[in-house]
Amino acid sequence: RVLLEEARIIREITQQYDVGFIVNDRIDIALAARADGVHLGDTDLPLLEARRIAPHLIIGSSCATVEEARAAEKLGADYLGVGSVYPTATKPDAGPSIGLDRLREIKCSVRIPVVAIGGINLRRAEEVLATGVNGLAVVSVVIGHPSPRTQAAAFRNIIVNIRGKSDG
């Protein structure tokens, strides 16, 4: 119940700023809070079942190998969360980090967007983006910062600068 109440508050905020809202792991909360989507890991509801229950949601899938990425794309994932790129304290059970070479290999093996996650900080952001991924997912490096707003803005600036270079 608390999670749903918090999700509804987040939904209101994201609508005010015209920003998408993806709920991690919980399709029930995503549906009840009228989120835009849900991100599913390998211990969550299978992607095919999620798509059957909620065909209108954006559905992301976690993966760490080319085989997992291709399978998720084939099953209808809208995007992939790939990692952990580097070791991370946020999810100590995430398994060994995959590194930049495998991240690049996964990105090249699918046609859907790839978002890199795991151990990404400001120092590493540019090299991660250089693999061609479509985005970065960061948690503790922003939430744990004395000024999350400043830290998020710093990530945004790196992304804008990288995209600007690739456009020119």
Side-chain angles (χ1 to χ4, degrees), residues 10-69:
I10 293 169
R11 172 75 283 187
E12 286 180 32
I13 294 167
T14 59
Q15 285 179 325
Q16 287 174 14
Y17 291 93
D18 196 27
V19 174
F21 177 37
I22 306 291
V23 172
N24 195 36
D25 301 334
R26 298 285 303 270
I27 194 167
D28 57 334
I29 300 296
L31 288 167
R34 294 188 173 85
D36 298 301
V38 63
H39 186 87
L40 302 172
D42 56 358
T43 61
D44 300 325
L45 188 69
L47 201 146
L48 281 177
E49 287 302 312
R51 182 64 70 203
R52 185 181 63 74
I53 293 167
H56 64 287
L57 287 183
I58 296 167
I59 300 178
S61 182
S62 295
C63 65
T65 68
V66 169
E67 295 76 21
E68 291 171 351

Side-chain angles (χ1 to χ4, degrees), residues 11-160:
R11 172 75 283 187
E12 286 180 32
I13 294 167
T14 59
Q15 285 179 325
Q16 287 174 14
Y17 291 93
D18 196 27
V19 174
F21 177 37
I22 306 291
V23 172
N24 195 36
D25 301 334
R26 298 285 303 270
I27 194 167
D28 57 334
I29 300 296
L31 288 167
R34 294 188 173 85
D36 298 301
V38 63
H39 186 87
L40 302 172
D42 56 358
T43 61
D44 300 325
L45 188 69
L47 201 146
L48 281 177
E49 287 302 312
R51 182 64 70 203
R52 185 181 63 74
I53 293 167
H56 64 287
L57 287 183
I58 296 167
I59 300 178
S61 182
S62 295
C63 65
T65 68
V66 169
E67 295 76 21
E68 291 171 351
R70 287 180 177 156
E73 180 179 41
K74 193 173 188 174
L75 291 172
D78 295 301
Y79 74 91
L80 302 174
V82 177
S84 179
V85 178
Y86 303 101
T88 176
T90 304
K91 280 197 167 185
D93 62 337
S97 56
I98 66 166
L100 296 174
D101 290 338
R102 189 178 316 158
L103 177 63
R104 185 177 291 106
E105 189 179 354
I106 290 169
K107 172 59 183 159
C108 291
S109 73
V110 295
R111 292 182 301 261
I112 58 177
V114 171
V115 177
I117 189 167
I120 301 167
N121 57 33
L122 288 172
R123 218 178 60 255
R124 295 171 168 163
E126 192 167 338
E127 67 186 12
V128 173
L129 290 167
T131 66
V133 296
N134 303 89
L136 307 175
V138 294
V139 180
S140 57
V141 72
V142 172
I143 300 302
H145 193 271
S147 174
R149 182 185 297 254
T150 301
Q151 189 78 335
F155 273 102
R156 184 182 187 283
N157 288 338
I158 289 171
I159 293 167
V160 167

